Amino acid sequence: MRVHVDQEKCQGHNRCYALAPELFDVDDYGTAHELNGGQVPPELEGKARLAVSNCPEYAITIDEDS
Amino acid sequence: MSHPPVTDWETDFDHTDVAYAADPFPIWDELRAKCPIAHSDRYGGVWLPTTHEDVAAIAYDTDHFTSQSVIVTEGRPMAPAPIGIAPPISSDPPFHHDARRLLLPAFSPKAIAALEPFTRAYCHELLDAVEGQTELDAAEDYAQHIPVRVIAKMLGFPAGDADQFREFVTNTIESVDLPVEKRIENFGRLEAYLRDQVEDHIAHPRDDLTSFLLDARLDGALLDEGHVGGTIALLLLAGIDTTWSAIGASIWHLARTPTDRERLANEPELMPFAIEELLRAYAPVTMARLVKDDFEFNGCPMKKDEWVLLPFPSANRDPAFFADAGRVELDRTENRHAAFGLGIHRCVGSNLARMELQVALEVFLERIPVFELASGDPAAVRWSGGQVRGPRTLPLRVG
């Protein structure tokens, strides 16, 4: 599984960083980006889905097959 | 100046009506199901979308709607677009982007985390002062003080001026039905206070947000005086009654819902989800826009210079967007709530507000694990009206 943050859509709500700091970080402007090239280890897949379903801007996508 | 009471919410609503302040949820639910965009001729024309879809669409549409003024009043803005009276909340693209970018680092999650120990110690101090009492007012004795103290520290203003800040909030944000002349006079008092603080910071620069803004540059030039003053006014005022409302409404919910209160006290790992759910269910802030030019939105003939309210709390209760929208579920795991707005004007202080709310609830539950509303009479709890809704008196019985 991989996650990706669309930085054009991200408005800095920081929900993903709060819920899954292992997978996301934020810069000084609050804009989020994925860590480790977006790779999600199997034990963090639940957290990745949680981040997606709490992003008010629909900025995070999951690719289940990579 | 008070307005006649509302008898028809679809065609003559007023967001400052006492019924709307006391309990707006059934009003929004009915409009959302039947209308769903209400209109009123009050305030020179104002629209009220109620679904998540419509509120989001307008929040994202900066081509047809301007943020030049975001508080619905009888008058119209005195400060021109795209900067507006209190940048960046009152600014439009492209100016908005850079004005906002100046502020973001001071409010990033990591910058805000550094303020947590101070906030926690202050919350304890407030409860020390009511230690041993069997009754307390959670709005007056506790919630209202927290954001005021923290923003005063961030701006480098005297903590002893807190009462004045609350007066400024009442005058600018909560007294919107006053005549324009009276509002201008109130703004004058705020401006005079801020001018003194700015002069003091020019004479004695220090490591705070006010000195930062006085030194900040856009396109290589210092910000003009109006921009600095407007931004300081925004930072001072926008975080006070909003966060006060969120803390108060959350305590109100826990006071009348013992199962949730006990659960939150016993399962601290629930706190991050509970905070978001309380923000969804009791989002304090309704924003506003002005229609730029005549424009038809979803069949509504919107006229230039009419207001459009953006009731984020109504969007947050839309059953088309949230499962069991009307129920408070502290462990809700899918929660794309819009309490801090949507799009480019996402609340710049959201990380600060969230930190204050979480710390305030943690300390309250730690110190006062058992509490309930002091009175069964709903009128004992007074809610602020207008665009920021929260309890202004919240008498509790403790222990």
Side-chain angles (χ1 to χ4, degrees):
Chain A
M1 182 192 275
R2 292 170 81 101
V3 284
H4 174 65
V5 181
D6 180 339
Q7 299 211 327
E8 292 295 308
K9 287 187 176 175
C10 175
Q11 297 293 350
H13 292 261
N14 290 307
R15 301 285 300 281
C16 58
Y17 173 64
L19 289 164
E22 307 91 334
L23 299 173
F24 303 94
D25 198 2
V26 288
D27 64 17
D28 282 349
Y29 302 94
T31 306
H33 57 272
E34 62 273 15
L35 293 170
N36 308 316
Q39 284 293 346
V40 181
E43 68 275 16
L44 293 177
E45 288 184 358
K47 280 200 170 189
R49 290 199 178 88
L50 205 52
V52 170
S53 57
N54 284 276
C55 177
E57 309 287 350
Y58 291 86
I60 307 171
T61 46
I62 282 184
D63 182 349
E64 299 272 359
D65 304 320
S66 61
Chain B
M1 189 172 72
S2 63
H3 297 165
V6 171
T7 52
D8 185 329
W9 289 95
E10 275 186 51
T11 59
D12 186 37
F13 75 87
D14 190 326
H15 61 298
T16 65
D17 192 89
V18 286
Y20 191 92
D23 190 9
F25 298 106
I27 297 170
W28 288 326
D29 287 346
E30 193 178 330
L31 289 174
R32 212 186 293 110
K34 283 173 45 190
C35 193
I37 303 177
H39 182 267
S40 172
D41 289 333
R42 303 184 190 212
Y43 304 97
V46 50
W47 296 89
L48 180 72
T50 51
T51 66
H52 184 280
E53 188 179 355
D54 285 340
V55 170
I58 294 166
Y60 286 127
D61 186 351
T62 56
D63 290 332
H64 295 102
F65 302 96
T66 168
S67 287
Q68 192 185 0
S69 181
V70 291
I71 302 175
V72 169
T73 61
E74 299 286 354
R76 288 299 183 266
M78 296 158 270
I83 299 174
I85 193 168
I89 200 173
S90 60
S91 311
D92 291 327
F95 176 83
H96 166 268
H97 177 267
D98 292 347
R100 176 179 171 86
R101 208 170 156 81
L102 275 180
L103 298 179
L104 287 170
F107 292 90
S108 74
K110 292 161 194 176
I112 292 305
L115 290 163
E116 188 184 316
F118 173 85
T119 308
R120 193 174 297 277
Y122 184 63
C123 288
H124 276 289
E125 215 177 286
L126 291 169
L127 293 182
D128 288 344
V130 293
E131 179 95 55
Q133 287 181 209
T134 53
E135 285 201 13
L136 65 93
D137 190 315
E140 281 187 14
D141 299 334
Y142 189 63
Q144 69 165 330
H145 299 286
I146 299 162
V148 176
R149 185 69 189 87
V150 177
I151 199 66
K153 179 182 166 66
M154 291 179 79
L155 286 167
F157 290 3
D161 292 349
D163 287 341
Q164 279 190 68
F165 304 161
R166 282 190 293 273
E167 184 194 312
F168 295 145
V169 168
T170 308
N171 286 343
T172 52
I173 303 177
E174 295 187 3
S175 306
V176 293
D177 51 356
L178 290 176
V180 174
E181 314 77 68
K182 181 68 188 160
R183 284 183 59 79
I184 291 173
E185 186 189 316
N186 286 339
F187 273 116
R189 279 212 294 281
L190 169 62
E191 277 167 6
Y193 177 84
L194 295 180
R195 211 159 32 238
D196 288 348
Q197 293 301 325
V198 164
E199 277 167 19
D200 186 55
H201 278 76
I202 290 170
H204 310 282
R206 39 211 196 251
D207 181 19
D208 59 31
L209 263 173
T210 303
S211 287
F212 166 79
L213 284 168
L214 288 166
D215 268 346
R217 284 163 195 274
L218 274 184
D219 295 328
L222 290 170
L223 309 181
D224 69 50
E225 204 182 321
H227 184 159
V228 172
T231 298
I232 294 174
L234 168 66
L235 296 180
L236 177 64
L237 301 183
I240 291 181
D241 62 341
T242 51
T243 312
W244 168 14
S245 297
I247 295 169
S250 299
I251 293 177
W252 174 79
H253 173 82
L254 297 175
R256 61 201 289 275
T257 322
T259 48
D260 281 352
R261 174 177 56 71
E262 283 160 23
R263 201 173 165 206
L264 202 51
N266 295 330
E267 298 173 47
E269 68 281 4
L270 204 61
M271 190 57 94
F273 295 96
I275 292 293
E276 302 304 331
E277 176 65 346
L278 292 165
L279 283 166
R280 180 191 73 84
Y282 304 109
V285 179
T286 291
M287 269 289 117
R289 301 285 186 265
L290 283 163
V291 181
K292 271 191 195 172
D293 290 298
D294 291 5
F295 170 61
E296 185 168 307
F297 178 82
N298 274 2
C300 298
M302 298 187 171
K303 298 271 179 273
K304 178 180 164 58
D305 286 340
E306 281 193 306
W307 298 101
V308 183
L309 283 163
L310 296 179
F312 295 116
S314 175
N316 282 352
R317 298 280 190 132
D318 184 349
F321 193 77
F322 293 94
D324 292 315
R327 275 173 51 89
V328 178
E329 297 171 347
L330 296 187
D331 56 358
R332 189 181 289 269
T333 51
E334 179 168 0
N335 194 349
R336 296 182 175 92
H337 71 75
F340 295 115
L342 292 167
I344 64 167
H345 286 282
R346 186 267 307 166
C347 170
V348 80
S350 62
N351 299 303
L352 173 61
R354 191 176 273 130
M355 181 277 283
E356 289 176 346
L357 175 58
Q358 176 155 349
V359 169
L361 291 189
E362 283 172 356
V363 172
F364 200 86
L365 286 166
E366 179 190 328
R367 296 283 298 269
I368 306 177
V370 179
F371 56 93
E372 61 184 354
L373 296 178
S375 165
D377 177 8
V381 178
R382 188 175 58 81
W383 296 81
S384 61
Q387 288 179 239
V388 181
R389 180 176 185 270
R392 293 294 175 265
T393 58
L394 180 54
L396 299 182
R397 187 167 27 250
V398 302

